[in-house]
Amino acid sequence: MDTSLKTETTARLAIADSNEAAQQNLEHRTGTSIEAIKQAFLENLFFVQGKPVALATKHDYYMALAHLVRDRMLYRWNGTAESYTQDRCRTVCYLSAEFLMGPHLGNNLINMGIYDQVKAAMEELGLDFEDLLAQEVEPGLGNGGLGRLAACYLDSMASLEVPSLGYGIRYEFGIFEQGISQGWQIERTDKWLRHGNPWEVARPEWATEVMFGGHTESYTDAAGDYRVRWVPSQEVLGTPYDTPILGYQVDTANTLRLWKAEAIESFDFEVFNQGDYYGAVEEKVSSENLTKVLYPNDETLAGKRLRLKQQFFFVSCSLQDMFRILKGQTIPVEEFHEKFSIQLNDTHPAIASAELMRLLVDEYHLDWNIAWEITQQAMAYTNHTLLPEALEKWPISLFGSLLPRHLEIIYEINTRFLELVRMRFPKDSARLERMSLIDESGERYVRMANLACVSSHTINGVAKLHSELLKQTVLKDFYELFPEKFCNMTNGVTPRRWIALSNPRLTKMVTEKIGEGWLKELEKTKQLESLATDSGFQDEWHEMKSAAKRELAGRIHQQFGVLVDPTSMFDVQVKRIHEYKRQHLNALHIVTLYSQLKQNPQMEILPRTFIFGGKAAPGYHMAKLMIKLITSVGEMANKDPDLRNQLRVIFLPNYNVTNSQRVYPASDLSEQISTAGKEASGTGNMKFAMNGALTIGTLDGANVEIRDAVGAENFFLFGLTADEVAKMKFEGYTPRDYYLGNPYLKDAIDLIASGHFSHGDGSLFQPLLDKLLYQDPFMLLADYQAYVDCQRTVSKAYQDQRRWLEMSILNASRMGYFSSDRSVQEYCQRIWKVSPAPVDIDRYIKVSGRFGGELSCKLH
Ligand code: NBG
């Protein structure tokens, strides 16, 4: 440093230290006292929103608040980036086509530990804090469990100080907004970006180019080696948008990096000058279409060209970004797998292995075998479903036309792989056919799950049962070849969002009893067990639940004009609508109760409020008909005086993260009633139990482990097991026999078929009933009686309020295992081999200066 610069620096530092105004200036951006927050809020309203108070809308208030919160995250965010760069930390790259983050504001306040100050500051300014939080339009960049799991894992990785990057797609339109019109689902576009997104920062300087189409050519390089290059027909620019992911009560703030597609040249002057005005922006329009919209499918494959383009686009951007990071940290490409551990969240990003091979072999000129070693050591694959219709495969013609080089690479991987299979299992051509990366049974396809299995060092399922079934069914051949690759990672959910943010009453109660710290170590809630029979604590617990139920009842009344009794049992099923999840089994039970009450108006039953919520994929007609059935039963039941208010059926529209946070705390009974063997894990089941709801459920997914954890006596189990389901199907299942043999079931089905719930239209629900009577792939009729009996047991249990409260407390206090912190720790040890790298912000500020060196030295 020359002397003049040194003098200048010293002078600047001196000024900064002594200058009161400068100090205050920083206080406005980082201070967390109530005064500082109020001041920053008013300033943001003026300087960021550009509004005088008189003209400010609620949304302006939200933006002013969001910006002041973001300011307060920036030391941590920049400090984390700098610390990871300096220490060249091993990093988890979580590749996921979906991140269902939910609203950021409240979560950031919780994790930063300034929730109470901010609430107080807003209230002192005369603003309704809840109302402010409610202004945030959540980024619905996912369909359901898979996307939400990715979000919970980001929260846990940051909270555990694990260096990580979430990589995904910045969809302009997320999951559609669901409305209900005359009982049917209607879909509206989700314009979540319309009013701007205060949580993201665009990084156009790190944009990458992605190629599509064209052909490949071979050539000989200067060293005389045979090489292949890809000559694409289209190139698109990917711009990263970064969102900070703050850990809970730590200085770590990791990054979620979502890619937006843009045209490389957004305006073609030549074309414009020829008078073709539309043509001049055509490339822009077609490139941007790539990240326009999230495919609203859950569990089923879309099979569309655009979908494959989206997958390749975000994977290619992300891998190139990793190479940029390597370069920045002067790490040789041969050490790629030591720097990065890549997790493939389902098969959506599975093309990553072919793209990494292309980059290593074609661009970095590594030997194939070395490149393959690196690829395999870098990748791990999580499977999220056993449903065969969800296994992604792409027609060869489509694949080859979009990704000609990748198809060649996949053929090469396949040739070598099948050689290995042939050696291990000689003369087993059926096995070769099943394991091939190419399905050749009819039209030829690329099988993405096979590609993921072959290219990954570890393959995991998401609950014990699911991981076992994977080995026995869909991935059996791969298990027999690579048993050491397989493991189980039972899902978890973050207690910060699903308890602290969703249920402040419960949070306060628990902290009063067992002190701080349990939100970081959820196992600590075990200490509440001893209070489960304490009548004082039970009373408090009861009041906590009742208050949440009154709140939800208030919303329901406001929204639909339906009065529900908060003292009735809230029996809740919220999740995507799908036949395997069996919302229609729940509906059959309601119809049974309804019918009994109609036939015997004197009958006393336990008053229940049945609450449903969930979206149906727009092209999934049966799921849409299931919604119509529920709303139709509700329409009849809610107004019928014969029922004497003993039954209410509510369908909450637009189930999303925001709405779900209001539902879990208010639930008494959690419906987890999928056909055994079909639900990979479920994570809603965990959120309910953490909030003190009891589960009625089958032995499916994580229900099995939840039941083990909370105790069989605190769980309402019913139904066939996965083995029994398989056996029954194998032996031949005739659902009609159950219908004919069970008068209650027959009565319920006949009542629906009669048109009673559909204004006399007997044909409306016929497709649904026919499917049950003649196919019933999800065994509703076989499980019906067991379910109805179990519901009777539930009603009886609820009437003994003391016993119910004890069970509820025990459920909540035994859920420690299901924190996503535990899951992420297991991933770190078993799969990622990544250790925490704590960030110390005070040290960082001392060493690098308040602005990471920028004010204390001259910029380059
Ligand atoms: C879903 C499963 C759920 C599971 C989540 C997260 C897909 C493909 N799968 O049971 O259905 O909880 O993944 O693992 O969305």
Side-chain angles (χ1 to χ4, degrees):
M1 203 186 271
D2 69 35
T3 33
S4 66
L5 178 57
K6 209 169 180 179
T7 329
E8 190 187 328
T9 308
T10 320
R12 277 187 178 196
L13 282 179
I15 292 169
D17 275 345
S18 63
N19 188 328
E20 196 119 321
Q23 285 294 340
Q24 251 185 21
N25 196 17
L26 221 50
E27 179 69 5
H28 287 178
R29 299 219 125 175
T30 61
T32 54
S33 66
I34 295 180
E35 272 320 302
I37 289 165
K38 278 160 61 179
Q39 193 63 33
F41 178 82
L42 294 170
E43 273 190 25
N44 283 352
L45 210 51
F46 195 86
F47 288 108
V48 179
Q49 289 311 100
K51 286 262 180 87
V53 174
L55 292 183
T57 62
K58 269 189 202 170
H59 190 263
D60 288 321
Y61 292 145
Y62 160 74
M63 290 295 265
L65 178 55
H67 276 281
L68 85 83
V69 174
R70 197 183 92 173
D71 280 348
R72 279 148 186 78
M73 293 164 71
L74 278 171
Y75 269 131
R76 293 177 177 87
W77 202 18
N78 288 338
T80 302
E82 183 152 338
S83 149
Y84 288 170
T85 307
Q86 265 170 14
D87 300 343
R88 303 155 112 214
C89 295
R90 180 163 165 81
T91 302
V92 178
C93 296
Y94 200 87
L95 264 57
S96 178
E98 302 187 6
F99 285 95
L100 192 47
M101 300 301 291
H104 289 288
L105 177 56
N107 198 246
N108 285 332
L109 294 175
I110 298 263
N111 283 12
M112 220 187 306
I114 60 170
Y115 193 96
D116 293 336
Q117 293 96 296
V118 168
K119 184 166 190 272
M122 295 304 109
E123 279 164 4
E124 282 184 22
L125 288 169
L127 297 168
D128 179 339
F129 181 61
E130 292 301 323
D131 210 22
L132 274 184
L133 289 180
Q135 294 307 306
E136 181 169 354
V137 183
E138 70 170 75
L141 310 187
N143 272 288
L146 176 146
R148 184 53 231 175
L149 186 79
C152 283
Y153 283 2
L154 291 188
D155 180 84
S156 284
M157 286 190 271
S159 300
L160 293 164
E161 308 180 292
V162 172
S164 67
L165 271 160
Y167 278 116
I169 301 176
R170 182 179 178 274
Y171 301 104
E172 185 176 335
F173 304 123
I175 186 72
F176 64 88
E177 197 184 297
Q178 179 197 53
I180 298 292
S181 173
Q182 295 177 341
W184 293 98
Q185 164 173 302
I186 50 168
E187 298 105 28
R188 287 184 291 256
T189 329
D190 159 59
K191 302 200 184 97
W192 72 288
L193 287 167
R194 191 174 33 190
H195 298 294
N197 173 10
W199 304 104
E200 67 184 5
V201 178
R203 311 277 193 202
E205 66 281 17
W206 293 337
T208 60
E209 290 180 12
V210 177
M211 307 190 273
F212 290 102
H215 61 277
T216 64
E217 346 177 292
S218 58
Y219 67 100
T220 310
D221 69 10
D225 289 327
Y226 173 86
R227 303 261 168 235
V228 177
R229 76 164 75 89
W230 175 13
V231 184
S233 57
Q234 192 197 0
E235 284 179 75
V236 176
L237 197 69
T239 300
Y241 282 70
D242 286 0
T243 302
I245 306 295
L246 190 64
Y248 176 66
Q249 289 184 347
V250 288
D251 285 340
T252 297
N254 287 332
T255 295
L256 168 62
R257 182 160 293 161
L258 301 180
W259 299 94
K260 176 186 182 200
E262 281 162 27
I264 293 181
E265 278 306 334
S266 54
F267 190 82
D268 190 332
F269 260 106
E270 220 165 283
V271 176
F272 181 75
N273 289 336
Q274 288 160 10
D276 182 358
Y277 304 115
Y278 177 75
V281 292
E282 195 178 345
E283 197 194 330
K284 176 175 162 64
V285 172
S286 90
S287 300
E288 286 178 2
N289 275 342
L290 206 53
T291 52
K292 269 267 175 273
V293 57
L294 166 80
Y295 275 87
N297 287 331
D298 183 58
E299 312 269 351
T300 42
L301 82 155
K304 299 268 166 41
R305 184 183 168 86
L306 184 62
R307 170 82 170 171
L308 178 58
K309 281 186 95 171
Q310 288 185 335
Q311 296 183 352
F312 177 69
F313 166 76
F314 98 87
V315 162
S316 178
C317 288
S318 308
L319 286 169
Q320 292 187 65
D321 197 54
M322 291 174 218
F323 280 98
R324 178 187 62 76
I325 294 171
L326 279 186
K327 194 169 167 207
Q329 299 180 14
T330 60
I331 298 173
V333 292
E334 287 81 359
E335 289 169 24
F336 183 96
H337 58 293
E338 286 164 30
K339 170 71 187 175
F340 296 115
S341 178
I342 298 177
Q343 191 66 36
L344 306 174
N345 197 28
D346 217 298
T347 55
H348 318 140
I351 186 67
S353 63
E355 173 68 347
L356 182 54
M357 284 301 285
R358 185 189 71 81
L359 289 164
L360 291 171
V361 173
D362 293 357
E363 307 275 332
Y364 293 97
H365 294 183
L366 257 53
D367 175 75
W368 177 280
N369 291 320
I370 295 176
W372 183 239
E373 216 25 57
I374 294 174
T375 301
Q376 274 188 313
Q377 290 196 38
M379 311 259 167
Y381 157 55
T382 306
N383 173 289
H384 291 270
T385 179
L386 292 156
L387 301 188
E389 65 266 33
L391 291 180
E392 282 192 305
K393 50 182 193 172
W394 297 104
I396 294 277
S397 51
L398 164 63
F399 198 96
S401 73
L402 271 180
L403 304 168
R405 179 58 182 145
H406 299 79
L407 188 56
E408 291 174 1
I409 290 174
I410 288 172
Y411 283 149
E412 182 63 29
I413 297 174
N414 200 32
T415 307
R416 291 165 186 245
F417 169 63
L418 291 181
E419 199 50 50
L420 178 80
V421 180
R422 221 173 271 123
M423 260 158 49
R424 276 291 314 279
F425 303 95
K427 302 206 187 79
D428 192 346
S429 61
R431 185 184 296 264
L432 280 176
E433 267 167 41
R434 292 193 306 267
M435 296 187 81
S436 172
L437 306 189
I438 311 296
D439 176 349
E440 313 209 46
S441 52
E443 192 194 344
R444 296 170 73 228
Y445 293 95
V446 183
R447 294 165 163 157
M448 299 312 274
N450 295 28
L451 177 62
C453 287
V454 174
S455 353
S456 298
H457 57 82
T458 308
I459 301 163
N460 76 283
V462 291
K464 262 189 204 157
L465 175 66
H466 171 234
S467 296
E468 280 313 308
L469 292 174
L470 271 182
K471 296 193 281 190
Q472 291 165 22
T473 61
V474 286
L475 301 181
K476 182 167 189 278
D477 293 320
F478 288 93
Y479 176 63
E480 284 168 5
L481 182 63
F482 308 123
E484 70 290 346
K485 284 194 185 188
F486 282 74
C487 70
N488 171 53
M489 295 282 139
T490 298
N491 284 168
V493 302
T494 170
R496 273 73 67 178
R497 182 175 292 274
W498 299 112
I499 305 178
L501 183 60
S502 308
N503 202 341
R505 292 186 191 90
L506 172 62
T507 306
K508 188 161 167 276
M509 260 180 85
V510 175
T511 305
E512 274 168 13
K513 295 294 171 207
I514 67 173
E516 306 270 345
W518 58 276
L519 284 165
K520 251 183 136 48
E521 286 170 77
L522 199 63
E523 294 283 2
K524 286 194 168 153
T525 50
K526 268 237 146 31
Q527 295 166 45
L528 292 173
E529 274 183 28
S530 58
L531 293 168
T533 48
D534 177 316
S535 61
F537 190 69
Q538 286 185 349
D539 292 342
E540 274 182 66
W541 194 267
H542 181 253
E543 179 45 32
M544 175 267 294
K545 259 286 161 220
S546 305
K549 289 168 73 177
R550 286 194 297 269
E551 228 167 71
L552 186 61
R555 275 182 190 281
I556 290 172
H557 184 227
Q558 210 183 1
Q559 234 178 320
F560 316 107
V562 179
L563 275 174
V564 306
D565 174 4
T567 66
S568 66
M569 185 173 86
F570 280 19
D571 175 340
V572 185
Q573 189 171 18
V574 284
K575 50 180 79 239
R576 284 298 285 254
I577 310 293
H578 208 294
E579 287 163 277
Y580 87 78
K581 295 179 188 279
R582 303 201 292 191
Q583 283 91 353
H584 44 347
L585 177 59
N586 190 339
L588 281 178
H589 170 236
I590 302 174
V591 171
T592 298
L593 290 178
Y594 173 92
S595 172
Q596 286 170 356
L597 281 170
K598 288 295 279 182
Q599 287 166 32
N600 182 3
Q602 262 53 267
M603 195 171 95
E604 291 289 334
I605 63 159
L606 174 77
R608 291 202 198 205
T609 301
F610 293 93
I611 297 173
F612 292 85
K615 294 175 186 178
Y620 187 177
H621 301 295
M622 195 57 82
K624 290 181 141 177
L625 194 54
M626 285 161 68
I627 294 180
K628 177 65 177 165
L629 175 64
I630 294 161
T631 54
S632 304
V633 172
E635 195 191 322
M636 293 299 288
N638 295 347
K639 64 172 190 213
D640 192 329
D642 284 354
L643 307 189
R644 292 172 292 121
N645 297 329
Q646 295 183 94
L647 283 189
R648 284 277 182 274
V649 183
I650 306 291
F651 190 94
L652 296 175
N654 203 34
Y655 182 67
N656 58 10
V657 176
T658 310
N659 290 327
S660 73
Q661 288 175 195
R662 298 170 177 143
V663 170
Y664 295 120
S667 301
D668 295 307
L669 188 66
S670 153
E671 298 270 353
Q672 308 299 336
I673 60 177
S674 52
T675 317
K678 297 293 176 195
E679 188 71 89
S681 164
T683 42
N685 46 7
M686 303 171 188
K687 297 163 196 169
F688 275 109
M690 281 180 188
N691 283 281
L694 302 194
T695 307
I696 179 166
T698 48
L699 278 181
D700 199 16
N703 293 354
V704 178
E705 290 155 82
I706 293 176
R707 178 166 170 268
D708 286 345
V710 303
E713 67 286 6
N714 301 308
F715 187 106
F716 299 100
L717 179 72
F718 77 96
L720 298 168
T721 63
D723 285 346
E724 287 164 351
V725 167
K727 184 158 176 271
M728 211 160 182
K729 283 202 169 165
F730 181 76
E731 288 171 355
Y733 166 55
T734 35
R736 228 183 123 70
D737 293 349
Y738 288 85
Y739 163 81
L740 294 173
N742 184 329
Y744 295 101
L745 174 59
K746 183 166 185 306
D747 176 71
I749 289 183
D750 290 350
L751 191 58
I752 299 169
S754 74
H756 181 84
F757 300 106
S758 40
H759 304 280
D761 177 359
S763 65
L764 181 63
F765 298 116
Q766 208 56 48
L768 193 152
L769 299 177
D770 281 350
K771 190 151 181 199
L772 291 182
L773 289 172
Y774 301 106
Q775 300 172 31
D776 197 17
F778 300 105
M779 322 290 274
L780 276 79
L781 304 201
D783 270 344
Y784 166 85
Q785 194 55 51
Y787 180 57
V788 171
D789 291 344
C790 191
Q791 285 286 20
R792 205 168 296 130
T793 314
V794 169
S795 295
K796 226 184 252 153
Y798 194 77
Q799 269 148 355
D800 180 353
Q801 272 291 302
R802 288 284 159 203
R803 170 77 188 116
W804 185 275
L805 284 165
E806 181 190 343
M807 291 195 286
S808 166
I809 296 167
L810 287 177
N811 263 264
S813 54
R814 293 175 176 173
M815 288 300 290
Y817 181 78
F818 300 95
S819 162
S820 44
D821 294 348
R822 187 271 312 152
S823 314
V824 162
Q825 267 157 346
E826 286 182 4
Y827 274 92
C828 283
Q829 284 156 19
R830 169 73 172 82
I831 304 183
W832 300 333
K833 318 279 186 218
V834 174
S835 326
V839 175
D840 181 347
I841 278 311
D842 292 334
R843 196 201 67 162
Y844 165 75
I845 292 173
K846 260 192 213 127
V847 174
S848 305
R850 282 185 189 280
F851 299 101
E854 288 177 17
L855 282 194
S856 58
C857 67
K858 231 182 188 149
L859 307 177
H860 1 273

